[in-house]
Amino acid sequence: MSAAHGVDLRILELASKLTESSDGSEPVLLLTLRDILGSAAAGSKDLQRLKEDSYSYGLIQYCVLVLKRDFSRVEGAWTTAAGLTEVLSKCCVGFNPKNDAEDFYSKLLPSAALNMLVLGRRIQARYVRSVKDAERAELLRCFRLVMESLCWLFSGHLQLAELVLRQDHFLQLLMTDDVESSTAVMSVLQAILRANSTVLHQIPEETLHSILDELVYKLSASSNPVTGNSATRSLLLMVESYPHLVRTVVTRYKGLRSLLSKQWTGKGFGRELSRLLDILYSSSYQQEELQRLHRAACIIQAVWRGFQIRKRMRKLPGAVTSLQRSFRAKRDQEMKQQKKQREEEELREQLKLQRLRAMRAFREKQLTLLEIVHAGQVEKHILETQETSALMIQKHWRGHRDRRRFLLQKQTLKQYKAAVTIQRAATRFLKKRRKIRESLSPWKKRQDLTDEEHWRLQQRVDARLQLHPAQQMSLEQSQELHGKVQDRLGHFLLSRKQQQRAEQRREALLSQISTDISMLMGAPSLRDAAEKDVDFFTSRSIPVALKAKQCHSTMLKRSRWPWWKKLSDEFVEEDDAFRGDIPDLEHGIIFIAGSKQP
């Protein structure tokens, strides 16, 4: 073996023969690749280089295209086709092209798998129709070789497993009554599940159900142990690879467990059958438990809904009565509204008719006046009428304008009054606070003294200073002492006023208590009491009642005023009321007999 520019001469020779060949012998020529690849050791660099040369010169691509041909007229017929699939699978497995890798993985490999499936269908069809034993044996061998080549191909490229299961050709290969070919196809399914256990998660649900239907059909319709064994293994691998499928199998094929137990027990594959039955029974128990809980929930819901409906039915007469009442009320309201609208429309029509009649009467009156007036006075009468009309129009317009101006000025006037009231209240408040500060101030205004009084007062001060000479103090100490004296004086004056008020209130309360006690001590007994005595104890004096009524009405009136109006002269603050009216009112109540209710 020699090479030119790194390429094997046998590859070059084969490529040249394929280029020059035109008599349909290309499949036979491509079979020589088997010998070329077999000359190199498995996994060696030479084998990898031969695969790269075959791919670069298009021999692998040509093998994929040749598989589409009808091999019935080719030398070696379907044996040659099966040999080409073996060559193609050996070339593709373990090969990673350096150039055009995307075309190899996305186009070449899927086309090779699809063409193998199509070739398998053709061989299977001829095998089923064949009668001769020798021919059937050869076709079966070729079919198994194609299936083995397909398994070898997707074992090296796992992404092809999903593609094979998605194809309709695979399902059609599986849907056959022949034992040998169906067993070979199911072996392909088992090889796919062993190579890629997650492939069932990726295929559509319809395809998965179709495969399950065919496997269950074979278990139910066939009595051949070989078919039963292959179908059982395939179904067991599917269930173990995709546990979620167990519930689907139990729900979709309810008689499968009894079928497996009765028909296939003791047929030589008890281990796989037992595992499958254990899985199905465990799932069936869970499914039955779920169904039992579901039925219990349905019964509870039915009872609860029946109770609710009966409860609503008991309330239905009241609801109907309420509905009728509301409907009739709404209908009466609508009828009243319609009647009111009709009356308003009739009123508008009457007003319009009255205006028209008044206008007609006015014009008739004008015509009558024009007939009465002398011809020479017509023009003068018309001028007087126009002047009167103009004056009337001007009067109405000026009235409308003044009313509109008044409405605009009313708000301004209201704001002005509010501002004046607030200013007056603020001034009065400041004046009161100024008086309070002056009353609390320890220093009074100096009164004017005569010269004699001033001389006499100065002598007394000098004599006092001689008897009690003052200690020398600094300016800071004098100011500090002066501040303390002022504070103590202010606190004394403030507390003295509060003490006087408290003393007055205590005296008033004591007087009231003594008066009530004297009245109660001198009251007649209940046996001797007359109606006038009861009135004497329960009635109030007229001045107090009038005063209370007046205060109550005044407070109600003031509560409806705006806040700024409460600042006017008529408003009395709580401090002033406490210092003015309230003590007088209390003193008036104290010495009136019967001021307390029993």
Side-chain angles (χ1 to χ4, degrees):
M1 181 179 61
S2 61
H5 302 292
V7 180
D8 193 287
L9 293 178
R10 293 173 294 178
I11 300 296
L12 292 175
E13 183 180 358
L14 179 58
S16 62
K17 288 181 180 181
L18 289 173
T19 304
E20 297 173 357
S21 176
S22 60
D23 54 356
S25 60
E26 294 87 353
V28 179
L29 292 175
L30 288 172
L31 284 177
T32 58
L33 271 174
R34 180 164 51 187
D35 299 332
I36 297 174
L37 296 174
S39 62
S44 62
K45 294 183 179 179
D46 294 337
L47 180 61
Q48 184 68 22
R49 184 170 57 82
L50 289 173
K51 291 180 181 181
E52 291 178 358
D53 294 342
S54 300
Y55 182 73
S56 60
Y57 279 89
L59 299 181
I60 298 177
Q61 296 88 326
Y62 199 53
C63 284
V64 175
L65 295 176
V66 167
L67 289 179
K68 295 181 180 181
R69 295 180 57 177
D70 185 9
F71 287 86
S72 59
R73 298 180 181 180
V74 178
E75 182 182 354
W78 302 105
T79 304
T80 304
L84 283 178
T85 58
E86 184 180 6
V87 171
L88 182 59
S89 62
K90 288 183 179 180
C91 291
C92 293
V93 173
F95 173 59
N96 296 315
K98 298 179 181 179
N99 299 323
D100 298 332
E102 184 177 358
D103 291 340
F104 176 76
Y105 288 108
S106 61
K107 294 181 181 180
L108 181 65
L109 290 178
S111 299
L114 180 60
N115 292 342
M116 287 183 183
L117 289 173
V118 173
L119 180 61
R121 284 194 60 195
R122 291 177 180 175
I123 297 174
Q124 187 186 47
R126 289 183 176 274
Y127 170 74
V128 173
R129 292 195 304 266
S130 179
V131 180
K132 298 179 181 180
D133 295 339
E135 184 179 2
R136 284 176 60 86
E138 182 63 22
L139 289 174
L140 179 60
R141 188 187 65 81
C142 295
F143 181 76
R144 288 177 176 174
L145 184 58
V146 172
M147 293 296 103
E148 291 175 0
S149 301
L150 181 62
C151 293
W152 181 254
L153 180 63
F154 63 70
S155 65
H157 302 280
L158 296 179
Q159 69 274 13
L160 296 177
E162 179 185 357
L163 176 66
V164 171
L165 290 181
R166 284 177 176 268
Q167 294 297 324
D168 295 336
H169 299 293
F170 178 78
L171 184 62
Q172 291 172 359
L173 286 171
L174 187 63
M175 296 171 61
T176 181
D177 294 334
D178 183 69
V179 177
E180 289 78 7
S181 61
S182 62
T183 304
V185 177
M186 284 188 283
S187 65
V188 174
L189 176 60
Q190 296 170 17
I192 290 174
L193 295 175
R194 292 191 187 97
N196 188 2
S197 59
T198 61
V199 68
L200 296 180
H201 298 77
Q202 302 170 3
I203 63 175
E205 189 176 358
E206 296 179 358
T207 304
L208 191 60
H209 288 173
S210 299
I211 296 174
L212 288 174
D213 291 342
E214 185 59 28
L215 293 177
V216 174
Y217 171 76
K218 291 183 183 301
L219 288 171
S220 61
S222 177
S223 59
N224 193 320
V226 178
T227 303
N229 188 11
S230 299
T232 303
R233 288 183 179 180
S234 302
L235 190 59
L236 179 61
L237 285 174
M238 292 181 68
V239 169
E240 290 179 346
S241 301
Y242 192 16
H244 182 69
L245 197 62
V246 178
R247 183 177 298 178
T248 304
V249 172
V250 174
T251 306
R252 191 177 178 90
Y253 315 104
K254 295 183 178 180
L256 180 61
R257 290 170 299 170
S258 60
L259 175 67
L260 293 174
S261 300
K262 296 178 181 179
Q263 185 173 346
W264 297 105
T265 302
K267 295 297 181 68
F269 50 92
R271 185 178 179 182
E272 292 80 3
L273 184 61
S274 299
R275 288 174 57 191
L276 180 60
L277 287 174
D278 291 340
I279 294 174
L280 294 179
Y281 273 110
S282 62
S283 176
S284 174
Y285 174 76
Q286 295 176 0
Q287 188 70 18
E288 289 177 358
E289 185 67 18
L290 290 176
Q291 291 179 358
R292 187 182 66 81
L293 294 176
H294 178 72
R295 287 194 298 270
C298 291
I299 293 173
I300 294 171
Q301 291 177 357
V303 173
W304 170 249
R305 288 170 182 169
F307 169 74
Q308 289 290 95
I309 291 174
R310 289 191 294 274
K311 185 177 179 181
R312 289 169 57 188
M313 291 296 291
R314 286 196 296 269
K315 294 182 179 179
L316 188 60
V320 172
T321 304
S322 177
L323 181 62
Q324 291 176 350
R325 189 186 302 111
S326 61
F327 172 75
R328 289 168 183 168
K330 185 176 180 181
R331 184 181 61 185
D332 294 341
Q333 186 178 1
E334 290 179 353
M335 292 177 65
K336 289 180 180 179
Q337 189 174 2
Q338 292 177 1
K339 184 178 179 181
K340 185 177 179 181
Q341 291 179 357
R342 286 197 299 269
E343 290 178 354
E344 291 178 355
E345 291 177 358
E346 292 177 358
L347 181 61
R348 284 196 294 269
E349 292 294 334
Q350 290 179 3
L351 291 175
K352 186 177 180 181
L353 184 60
Q354 289 178 3
R355 292 192 190 99
L356 292 175
R357 289 176 179 174
M359 183 64 69
R360 184 179 295 172
F362 176 72
R363 290 180 179 176
E364 289 178 355
K365 183 178 180 181
Q366 283 184 339
L367 291 174
T368 304
L369 291 174
L370 288 175
E371 290 177 355
I372 295 173
V373 176
H374 191 270
Q377 300 293 328
V378 172
E379 185 176 358
K380 181 179 179 181
H381 176 71
I382 292 173
L383 291 175
E384 290 177 355
T385 304
Q386 291 178 353
E387 289 178 358
T388 305
S389 302
L391 290 174
M392 183 66 68
I393 293 171
Q394 290 176 359
K395 181 177 67 176
H396 284 285
W397 163 249
R398 288 169 182 168
H400 169 70
R401 184 186 60 186
D402 293 339
R403 285 192 295 273
R404 187 172 63 181
R405 287 179 179 176
F406 176 74
L407 291 176
L408 295 176
Q409 293 175 357
K410 186 177 180 180
Q411 184 66 22
T412 305
L413 181 61
K414 187 176 181 181
Q415 294 177 357
Y416 175 74
K417 288 183 178 180
V420 171
T421 304
I422 293 172
Q423 291 175 359
R424 189 184 297 118
T427 304
R428 187 173 61 255
F429 173 77
L430 295 175
K431 185 176 180 181
K432 289 178 181 180
R433 289 294 179 265
R434 195 179 300 113
K435 287 181 179 180
I436 291 173
R437 285 198 301 271
E438 290 178 356
S439 64
L440 295 177
S441 178
W443 300 105
K444 304 295 182 182
K445 291 184 179 179
R446 184 177 59 83
Q447 297 180 358
D448 295 335
L449 301 175
T450 61
D451 294 339
E452 184 179 358
E453 291 176 350
H454 186 273
W455 178 75
R456 191 182 300 112
L457 184 60
Q458 184 65 37
Q459 284 183 348
R460 291 177 62 184
V461 170
D462 294 340
R464 180 70 178 176
L465 292 175
Q466 289 178 0
L467 293 174
H468 304 284
Q471 297 178 0
Q472 295 295 327
M473 299 177 66
S474 62
L475 180 61
E476 291 79 4
Q477 293 176 351
S478 300
Q479 291 178 354
E480 183 179 358
L481 182 61
H482 177 70
K484 291 180 180 180
V485 172
Q486 293 293 329
D487 293 339
R488 291 185 180 181
L489 181 60
H491 184 268
F492 170 73
L493 294 175
L494 182 61
S495 61
R496 183 182 64 179
K497 195 171 184 179
Q498 293 177 354
Q499 290 175 359
Q500 290 176 355
R501 289 181 181 177
E503 186 65 27
Q504 291 177 359
R505 189 170 184 83
R506 281 194 296 272
E507 292 177 357
L509 290 175
L510 290 174
S511 300
Q512 183 178 1
I513 291 170
S514 62
T515 302
D516 292 340
I517 290 173
S518 61
M519 288 185 63
L520 290 174
M521 294 298 293
S525 61
L526 294 177
R527 182 180 302 172
D528 301 334
E531 185 176 357
K532 61 179 181 178
D533 296 331
V534 176
D535 295 337
F536 178 76
F537 278 97
T538 57
S539 65
R540 288 178 175 271
S541 65
I542 295 175
V544 174
L546 290 176
K547 183 66 176 178
K549 185 176 181 180
Q550 182 181 1
C551 293
H552 180 68
S553 61
T554 303
M555 292 303 296
L556 289 178
K557 184 177 178 181
R558 289 172 182 166
S559 64
R560 293 191 291 269
W561 285 356
W563 66 273
W564 56 267
K565 196 170 182 181
K566 294 179 181 179
L567 301 175
S568 61
D569 295 336
E570 299 177 359
F571 181 74
V572 181
E573 295 182 351
E574 295 181 0
D575 295 338
D576 297 335
F578 180 78
R579 289 194 298 265
D581 296 339
I582 293 178
D584 296 340
L585 186 60
E586 288 182 354
H587 281 64
I589 295 174
I590 286 171
F591 300 102
I592 294 173
S595 61
K596 294 287 185 179
Q597 294 184 358

